[in-house]
Amino acid sequence: MNKYPEYNPKTIEKKWQDHWDATGCLNALKSHDMPKFFPLIEFPYPSGAGLHVGHPRSNTAMDIISRKRRMEGYNVLFPMGYDAFGLPTENFAIKNNVHPAVVTKTNIDHFRKQLKRLGFSFDYSREIDTTDPKYYKWTQWIFLKLFEHGMVFRDKTLVNYCPSCKVVLSNEDSQGGKCDICHGDVVQLPKDVWYLRITQYADKLLEGLETVDYPENIKQQQINWIGKSTGAFVKFQLNGIDESIEIYTTRPDTLFGVTFMVMAPEHPLIDKYADKISNMDAIVAYREECAKKTEFERTQLVKDKTGLKIEGLSTINPLTGKIVPIFISDYVMMGYGTGAIMAVPAHDQRDWEFAKKFGIEIIEVIKGGDIEKEAYTGDGEMVNSDFLNGYTNKKDSIARVLEEIEKKGFGKPGVQYKMKDWAFNRQRYWGEPIPLIHCPKCGVVAVPYEELPLELPEVEDFRPGTDGKSPLAHIESFVKCTCPKCGGAAERETDTMPQWAGSSWYFLRYCDPHNDNAFADPEELNYWMPVDWYNGGMEHVTRHLLYSRFWHRFLYDIGVVNTPEPYMKRTAQGMILGTDGEKMSKSRGNVINPDDVVDELGADAFRLYEMFMGAFDQAIPWQTDGARGCRRFLDRVWKLMEIMTTDEGVSKDMAFDVHTCIKKVSEDYERMKFNTAIAAMMTLVNQMYSKGHVTRGEVKILLQLLNPVAPHITEEMNELCAFGEALVRSPWPKVDEKALVKDEIEIAIQVNGKVRGKMMVPSTLTRDNAAEYFLANEEALRILGTNSPKKLVYVPGRLLNAVI
C-alpha cells in the first residue's frame, strides 16, 4: 500500500492560496495572442456583516467555468471589485461615529480575506473599488458625456422620498412603497431631481435583447420593465374652452365607450382653470390626502376607489360629441403617460368599479360579457360604435379608428413606455459628487474634464440635513467655486450620484484598471469586451442589468466602446436559504457564516457542497450535514492514492467509465448542471474502489475534472503524485469517442419471461445472428438448461427470452 500524508485541508488550502498569490498564475495574461474568456460576477457590496454561505454560490459557479477555460487554453480575466458607495455604509458610519471611508476599507479587507479563503481564482491585480477617486473619476467622466449629449436634465416632480434615510429614491429603489435600503415607508414630495434620459434608449434596449444569450425569464423581466405599448394619442376638447386634454390609450377602438375621464390630482390644467371649478376647496383637500400616499399605494389595483368629480370642467368625446365628465383620482399619476386617461367602464375592471361607485354611465362596445356584473375584457364583435360596428378583429378595429382620428385631426398613432427616466441624485454624502456647477449667468455648467475627479471633501459631520439637502450643501469650501465659462462666482451641485452609478460600467474598468488617461485603453477593450458570461442574482435583472446596458449602449453610440451590448450571456443562480427554508437574514437568526464551515470542513468541501446541494437555478435550504457528506467524498478521493498502481494510462476495463465521466462533466459544467457533474465523479470514484486499484492515468483525469470545483486538494494530490505541471494550466481531458462504445454489454437471460441469469455479449450482436450465437455459447446453454428452446427472442442490448 502506498504511503501518503493525511488529508489536512487547513494546511493544504493555505499553501495553495499563498502559491497562487505569489506566482500570479491565475491572473489574466498581458498578451492578446490567446483566445480570451471574460467571465463576470456581480461585484459585492462590502457590508459589515461579511459573506454568508449564499453569497459565494455565483462566485463558485463562475470559478468552475474560469478554471475549466484556463485548462482549455483561454486567456481568462476573472476579476473582483467592490461596489462600495451607498446608504448602508453611511448609515453604519453615522450610527458608530466613524467615517464611511474607514468603514469601507475595513469591510473590503474582511471580504477579500473571506473570498481568498474560498480559493476563488480572481485576478486581484485588477481589483477595483467604486469609492476610489481614481475609479469614480471615470464614473464622473461618463456622466459628463451623458450631460454633453443632452441625456441629463433637471425637473421638478413628485419624488419617492425616504424620511428615515433622508434621500430621494428611484421607482426601482422604492418598489412596494418601501425603501430598498431601510425598508421603511416612502412618501411623495415635490423636488428638483436630476434625471438620465433612459427612456430615449428604450427601443435600443429592447432590440439588444434579440442579440444576447439570456434566459427567457430574464429577457421577459427587462421587456416588462420597459413596458413598451403601441396605441394612440387622442385629444379631448374641453367643453366651452379653447384647449384640449391629450390622453394615451392602447385601445382606441373603444373610444365610443368612453363615458368619463380621470386626471391626476396634480394636473396643471386644474390650477389653470381653477376659477371655473366650483369645488376647488375639495380638490385641494383631496390633493393633500394623495400627497401622503406613495406611488405604489396610489397605483395598486386592489384597493378602494377614491376620487372626486371636477365641477365646472368637462370634455367632449371626439367621436360621439357627447359631454364627458372629468374626475380626479389618486391612481392616475402625472409621471405616467399624459397625466390623464379616458375611461371605458364596460371593458376595464378598474374603470367599471369606479363608474359603479360614482354612478357613471356604462356603454358596451364589445359583445361577449355581462357588463351588469363586471367589465368584459375579452375580444368580440364591435357594437354601439358607428363605423366600427360589425368588426370582430381587434387589430382591424384599431387600424380603422386610427385612420379616422388621423383624418379628423384629433389623434395619431403613438408609443408609450412604462419605464420612466432614471432619477439620478441622492441627498447624501457617501456617493460620487455630481460634476456640475450652477452659475447665475451661464446656467448649469459641466466641471472641466481636466479637473476630474471632483473629490468628496473631508468632513467630520456627514449626517444628512433635515432640510432635505445633501451634507455637501453645508460645506462652503466645497460649494463656492468659479464658473469655468465666465469666471464669475458660482456654486457646485451638492447632490451625489445613486449607488447604481459605479456598477453601471465596472466591467469596462476591469479591462484596464490602472489607466489614468482613459477608463480603458481601446486595444484592451477590443480584446476583452464583450463580457462572455455574466452570472448573478435574479434580483438585479431589472435595475442593474438595465442601467448598465443603457450606459454601455450610450458609450457605444458615442464611439468609445466596441460592442453595443456589454454581456453576451447572462445566467442566474437560485438563492441559498437558511436551514429553516427562509431567506437568510440577521433578524431571523438563520445566517450561516462560510468561515465556520471552512474551519470545520475546508474550502473545497464548502465549494463542492454549494454546487452539489441541488439544481443551480433553484432556491435550496442549507444543510451542514450535506457539506459534511461532501467532505467524506474528498476523503475518499484523497485515499485513492493508497490503491494507485504505477500504470500511466487508462485501463481497458475502466476506459468506458472514465470517458463517460469526462463527457458528462464537460457538458454539465457548461450547462451549469454542477450537481449532476459532481454525481458523475462520485460514481467514477465508487467504480475505482469497486475495482480495488486505479492507475495513475485514471487518478490524473479525475483530478483534472474535479479541479475546478475543489482546486486545493486536487493540486496537492497532483503534486504528491508527481503528475507534472500544475493543474491550473494542464490541458482539459479529451473524450475518446471510441471508448464510449463498449465491446461487451451485460444482458438478462429469461426463460418464458422469467429472469434466470445475466451474461456478457458482444455489443455488436444483432437479432439476425443472435440464435446462432446463443445456441453455440456454453454460458447461455448453462443458464437455459437442458430443454431445447422453441423460440429465441433477442432485444439488442437488453435481454434474451427463450420460449420453452
Side-chain angles (χ1 to χ4, degrees), residues 638-657:
W638 182 266
K639 289 178 181 178
L640 283 173
M641 293 188 291
E642 296 177 0
I643 61 170
M644 184 173 66
T645 68
T646 58
D647 296 333
E648 293 294 340
V650 176
S651 58
K652 185 178 179 181
D653 57 347
M654 283 295 291
F656 175 81
D657 297 318

PDB file of all heavy atoms in Angstrom, residues 638-657:
ATOM      1  N   TRP A 638      -8.895  11.453  -1.776  1.00  0.00           N
ATOM      2  CA  TRP A 638      -7.514  11.509  -1.265  1.00  0.00           C
ATOM      3  C   TRP A 638      -6.941  10.094  -1.113  1.00  0.00           C
ATOM      4  O   TRP A 638      -5.794   9.830  -1.474  1.00  0.00           O
ATOM      5  CB  TRP A 638      -7.521  12.233   0.077  1.00  0.00           C
ATOM      6  CG  TRP A 638      -6.161  12.414   0.710  1.00  0.00           C
ATOM      7  CD1 TRP A 638      -5.560  11.597   1.619  1.00  0.00           C
ATOM      8  CD2 TRP A 638      -5.236  13.475   0.455  1.00  0.00           C
ATOM      9  NE1 TRP A 638      -4.321  12.079   1.973  1.00  0.00           N
ATOM     10  CE2 TRP A 638      -4.095  13.234   1.278  1.00  0.00           C
ATOM     11  CE3 TRP A 638      -5.245  14.592  -0.357  1.00  0.00           C
ATOM     12  CZ2 TRP A 638      -2.990  14.087   1.282  1.00  0.00           C
ATOM     13  CZ3 TRP A 638      -4.147  15.444  -0.337  1.00  0.00           C
ATOM     14  CH2 TRP A 638      -3.033  15.188   0.471  1.00  0.00           C
ATOM     15  N   LYS A 639      -7.751   9.193  -0.611  1.00  0.00           N
ATOM     16  CA  LYS A 639      -7.262   7.838  -0.334  1.00  0.00           C
ATOM     17  C   LYS A 639      -7.111   6.980  -1.588  1.00  0.00           C
ATOM     18  O   LYS A 639      -6.602   5.852  -1.511  1.00  0.00           O
ATOM     19  CB  LYS A 639      -8.186   7.152   0.678  1.00  0.00           C
ATOM     20  CG  LYS A 639      -8.053   7.754   2.078  1.00  0.00           C
ATOM     21  CD  LYS A 639      -8.996   7.103   3.073  1.00  0.00           C
ATOM     22  CE  LYS A 639      -8.845   7.736   4.454  1.00  0.00           C
ATOM     23  NZ  LYS A 639      -9.779   7.171   5.453  1.00  0.00           N
ATOM     24  N   LEU A 640      -7.533   7.496  -2.734  1.00  0.00           N
ATOM     25  CA  LEU A 640      -7.267   6.772  -3.982  1.00  0.00           C
ATOM     26  C   LEU A 640      -5.775   6.587  -4.198  1.00  0.00           C
ATOM     27  O   LEU A 640      -5.344   5.621  -4.855  1.00  0.00           O
ATOM     28  CB  LEU A 640      -7.861   7.541  -5.179  1.00  0.00           C
ATOM     29  CG  LEU A 640      -9.378   7.446  -5.383  1.00  0.00           C
ATOM     30  CD1 LEU A 640      -9.803   8.391  -6.493  1.00  0.00           C
ATOM     31  CD2 LEU A 640      -9.804   6.013  -5.699  1.00  0.00           C
ATOM     32  N   MET A 641      -4.980   7.504  -3.644  1.00  0.00           N
ATOM     33  CA  MET A 641      -3.525   7.384  -3.797  1.00  0.00           C
ATOM     34  C   MET A 641      -3.007   6.097  -3.167  1.00  0.00           C
ATOM     35  O   MET A 641      -1.964   5.574  -3.572  1.00  0.00           O
ATOM     36  CB  MET A 641      -2.828   8.603  -3.183  1.00  0.00           C
ATOM     37  CG  MET A 641      -3.097   9.913  -3.914  1.00  0.00           C
ATOM     38  SD  MET A 641      -2.094  11.307  -3.315  1.00  0.00           S
ATOM     39  CE  MET A 641      -2.807  11.568  -1.690  1.00  0.00           C
ATOM     40  N   GLU A 642      -3.759   5.579  -2.185  1.00  0.00           N
ATOM     41  CA  GLU A 642      -3.321   4.362  -1.499  1.00  0.00           C
ATOM     42  C   GLU A 642      -3.516   3.113  -2.356  1.00  0.00           C
ATOM     43  O   GLU A 642      -2.876   2.080  -2.117  1.00  0.00           O
ATOM     44  CB  GLU A 642      -4.076   4.213  -0.169  1.00  0.00           C
ATOM     45  CG  GLU A 642      -3.778   5.326   0.823  1.00  0.00           C
ATOM     46  CD  GLU A 642      -4.592   5.196   2.102  1.00  0.00           C
ATOM     47  OE1 GLU A 642      -5.393   4.223   2.198  1.00  0.00           O
ATOM     48  OE2 GLU A 642      -4.442   6.043   2.997  1.00  0.00           O
ATOM     49  N   ILE A 643      -4.413   3.170  -3.357  1.00  0.00           N
ATOM     50  CA  ILE A 643      -4.644   1.996  -4.214  1.00  0.00           C
ATOM     51  C   ILE A 643      -4.189   2.268  -5.645  1.00  0.00           C
ATOM     52  O   ILE A 643      -4.584   1.570  -6.576  1.00  0.00           O
ATOM     53  CB  ILE A 643      -6.127   1.569  -4.184  1.00  0.00           C
ATOM     54  CG1 ILE A 643      -7.044   2.695  -4.701  1.00  0.00           C
ATOM     55  CG2 ILE A 643      -6.552   1.127  -2.786  1.00  0.00           C
ATOM     56  CD1 ILE A 643      -8.486   2.251  -4.934  1.00  0.00           C
ATOM     57  N   MET A 644      -3.363   3.276  -5.810  1.00  0.00           N
ATOM     58  CA  MET A 644      -2.912   3.663  -7.156  1.00  0.00           C
ATOM     59  C   MET A 644      -1.724   2.807  -7.574  1.00  0.00           C
ATOM     60  O   MET A 644      -0.756   2.643  -6.827  1.00  0.00           O
ATOM     61  CB  MET A 644      -2.530   5.155  -7.157  1.00  0.00           C
ATOM     62  CG  MET A 644      -2.143   5.704  -8.515  1.00  0.00           C
ATOM     63  SD  MET A 644      -1.899   7.497  -8.454  1.00  0.00           S
ATOM     64  CE  MET A 644      -0.467   7.615  -7.379  1.00  0.00           C
ATOM     65  N   THR A 645      -1.778   2.266  -8.791  1.00  0.00           N
ATOM     66  CA  THR A 645      -0.676   1.475  -9.338  1.00  0.00           C
ATOM     67  C   THR A 645       0.313   2.409 -10.042  1.00  0.00           C
ATOM     68  O   THR A 645       0.131   3.624 -10.086  1.00  0.00           O
ATOM     69  CB  THR A 645      -1.210   0.446 -10.351  1.00  0.00           C
ATOM     70  OG1 THR A 645      -1.710   1.132 -11.508  1.00  0.00           O
ATOM     71  CG2 THR A 645      -2.321  -0.388  -9.744  1.00  0.00           C
ATOM     72  N   THR A 646       1.332   1.842 -10.641  1.00  0.00           N
ATOM     73  CA  THR A 646       2.324   2.647 -11.376  1.00  0.00           C
ATOM     74  C   THR A 646       1.967   2.810 -12.848  1.00  0.00           C
ATOM     75  O   THR A 646       2.677   3.478 -13.593  1.00  0.00           O
ATOM     76  CB  THR A 646       3.714   1.994 -11.260  1.00  0.00           C
ATOM     77  OG1 THR A 646       3.632   0.652 -11.778  1.00  0.00           O
ATOM     78  CG2 THR A 646       4.191   1.976  -9.814  1.00  0.00           C
ATOM     79  N   ASP A 647       0.855   2.186 -13.286  1.00  0.00           N
ATOM     80  CA  ASP A 647       0.451   2.286 -14.691  1.00  0.00           C
ATOM     81  C   ASP A 647       0.022   3.717 -15.017  1.00  0.00           C
ATOM     82  O   ASP A 647      -0.713   4.352 -14.254  1.00  0.00           O
ATOM     83  CB  ASP A 647      -0.714   1.335 -14.980  1.00  0.00           C
ATOM     84  CG  ASP A 647      -0.309  -0.118 -14.796  1.00  0.00           C
ATOM     85  OD1 ASP A 647       0.883  -0.407 -14.968  1.00  0.00           O
ATOM     86  OD2 ASP A 647      -1.178  -0.941 -14.453  1.00  0.00           O
ATOM     87  N   GLU A 648       0.451   4.198 -16.186  1.00  0.00           N
ATOM     88  CA  GLU A 648       0.217   5.599 -16.552  1.00  0.00           C
ATOM     89  C   GLU A 648      -1.101   5.820 -17.294  1.00  0.00           C
ATOM     90  O   GLU A 648      -1.694   6.871 -17.189  1.00  0.00           O
ATOM     91  CB  GLU A 648       1.368   6.129 -17.417  1.00  0.00           C
ATOM     92  CG  GLU A 648       2.695   6.247 -16.677  1.00  0.00           C
ATOM     93  CD  GLU A 648       2.672   7.301 -15.581  1.00  0.00           C
ATOM     94  OE1 GLU A 648       1.798   8.197 -15.620  1.00  0.00           O
ATOM     95  OE2 GLU A 648       3.513   7.240 -14.679  1.00  0.00           O
ATOM     96  N   GLY A 649      -1.532   4.888 -18.075  1.00  0.00           N
ATOM     97  CA  GLY A 649      -2.715   5.115 -18.911  1.00  0.00           C
ATOM     98  C   GLY A 649      -4.018   4.811 -18.210  1.00  0.00           C
ATOM     99  O   GLY A 649      -4.083   4.693 -16.980  1.00  0.00           O
ATOM    100  N   VAL A 650      -5.068   4.661 -19.035  1.00  0.00           N
ATOM    101  CA  VAL A 650      -6.377   4.251 -18.545  1.00  0.00           C
ATOM    102  C   VAL A 650      -6.561   2.800 -18.918  1.00  0.00           C
ATOM    103  O   VAL A 650      -6.408   2.419 -20.081  1.00  0.00           O
ATOM    104  CB  VAL A 650      -7.503   5.106 -19.172  1.00  0.00           C
ATOM    105  CG1 VAL A 650      -8.875   4.606 -18.732  1.00  0.00           C
ATOM    106  CG2 VAL A 650      -7.327   6.577 -18.807  1.00  0.00           C
ATOM    107  N   SER A 651      -6.865   1.967 -17.919  1.00  0.00           N
ATOM    108  CA  SER A 651      -7.009   0.540 -18.184  1.00  0.00           C
ATOM    109  C   SER A 651      -8.224   0.281 -19.073  1.00  0.00           C
ATOM    110  O   SER A 651      -9.187   1.048 -19.079  1.00  0.00           O
ATOM    111  CB  SER A 651      -7.156  -0.230 -16.864  1.00  0.00           C
ATOM    112  OG  SER A 651      -8.270   0.241 -16.143  1.00  0.00           O
ATOM    113  N   LYS A 652      -8.149  -0.827 -19.813  1.00  0.00           N
ATOM    114  CA  LYS A 652      -9.202  -1.146 -20.773  1.00  0.00           C
ATOM    115  C   LYS A 652     -10.559  -1.295 -20.093  1.00  0.00           C
ATOM    116  O   LYS A 652     -11.583  -0.819 -20.601  1.00  0.00           O
ATOM    117  CB  LYS A 652      -8.843  -2.440 -21.518  1.00  0.00           C
ATOM    118  CG  LYS A 652      -9.825  -2.782 -22.629  1.00  0.00           C
ATOM    119  CD  LYS A 652      -9.406  -4.043 -23.376  1.00  0.00           C
ATOM    120  CE  LYS A 652     -10.408  -4.384 -24.462  1.00  0.00           C
ATOM    121  NZ  LYS A 652     -10.047  -5.616 -25.194  1.00  0.00           N
ATOM    122  N   ASP A 653     -10.571  -1.925 -18.926  1.00  0.00           N
ATOM    123  CA  ASP A 653     -11.852  -2.170 -18.265  1.00  0.00           C
ATOM    124  C   ASP A 653     -12.434  -0.919 -17.592  1.00  0.00           C
ATOM    125  O   ASP A 653     -13.575  -0.933 -17.133  1.00  0.00           O
ATOM    126  CB  ASP A 653     -11.743  -3.306 -17.243  1.00  0.00           C
ATOM    127  CG  ASP A 653     -10.682  -3.049 -16.195  1.00  0.00           C
ATOM    128  OD1 ASP A 653      -9.866  -2.129 -16.387  1.00  0.00           O
ATOM    129  OD2 ASP A 653     -10.669  -3.765 -15.176  1.00  0.00           O
ATOM    130  N   MET A 654     -11.629   0.186 -17.534  1.00  0.00           N
ATOM    131  CA  MET A 654     -12.142   1.439 -16.966  1.00  0.00           C
ATOM    132  C   MET A 654     -12.349   2.519 -18.025  1.00  0.00           C
ATOM    133  O   MET A 654     -12.856   3.602 -17.727  1.00  0.00           O
ATOM    134  CB  MET A 654     -11.166   1.972 -15.906  1.00  0.00           C
ATOM    135  CG  MET A 654     -11.226   1.248 -14.564  1.00  0.00           C
ATOM    136  SD  MET A 654     -12.818   1.456 -13.718  1.00  0.00           S
ATOM    137  CE  MET A 654     -12.750   3.198 -13.289  1.00  0.00           C
ATOM    138  N   ALA A 655     -11.955   2.213 -19.275  1.00  0.00           N
ATOM    139  CA  ALA A 655     -11.986   3.247 -20.318  1.00  0.00           C
ATOM    140  C   ALA A 655     -13.394   3.807 -20.520  1.00  0.00           C
ATOM    141  O   ALA A 655     -13.588   5.025 -20.620  1.00  0.00           O
ATOM    142  CB  ALA A 655     -11.443   2.686 -21.625  1.00  0.00           C
ATOM    143  N   PHE A 656     -14.379   2.908 -20.577  1.00  0.00           N
ATOM    144  CA  PHE A 656     -15.751   3.379 -20.790  1.00  0.00           C
ATOM    145  C   PHE A 656     -16.206   4.288 -19.657  1.00  0.00           C
ATOM    146  O   PHE A 656     -16.762   5.367 -19.886  1.00  0.00           O
ATOM    147  CB  PHE A 656     -16.697   2.177 -20.916  1.00  0.00           C
ATOM    148  CG  PHE A 656     -18.147   2.567 -21.027  1.00  0.00           C
ATOM    149  CD1 PHE A 656     -18.685   2.969 -22.251  1.00  0.00           C
ATOM    150  CD2 PHE A 656     -18.979   2.563 -19.913  1.00  0.00           C
ATOM    151  CE1 PHE A 656     -20.021   3.340 -22.351  1.00  0.00           C
ATOM    152  CE2 PHE A 656     -20.307   2.935 -20.009  1.00  0.00           C
ATOM    153  CZ  PHE A 656     -20.829   3.321 -21.235  1.00  0.00           C
ATOM    154  N   ASP A 657     -15.971   3.888 -18.414  1.00  0.00           N
ATOM    155  CA  ASP A 657     -16.410   4.670 -17.260  1.00  0.00           C
ATOM    156  C   ASP A 657     -15.690   6.016 -17.192  1.00  0.00           C
ATOM    157  O   ASP A 657     -16.311   7.046 -16.914  1.00  0.00           O
ATOM    158  CB  ASP A 657     -16.158   3.885 -15.964  1.00  0.00           C
ATOM    159  CG  ASP A 657     -16.961   2.593 -15.919  1.00  0.00           C
ATOM    160  OD1 ASP A 657     -18.143   2.623 -16.315  1.00  0.00           O
ATOM    161  OD2 ASP A 657     -16.402   1.563 -15.508  1.00  0.00           O
TER     162      ASP A 657
END
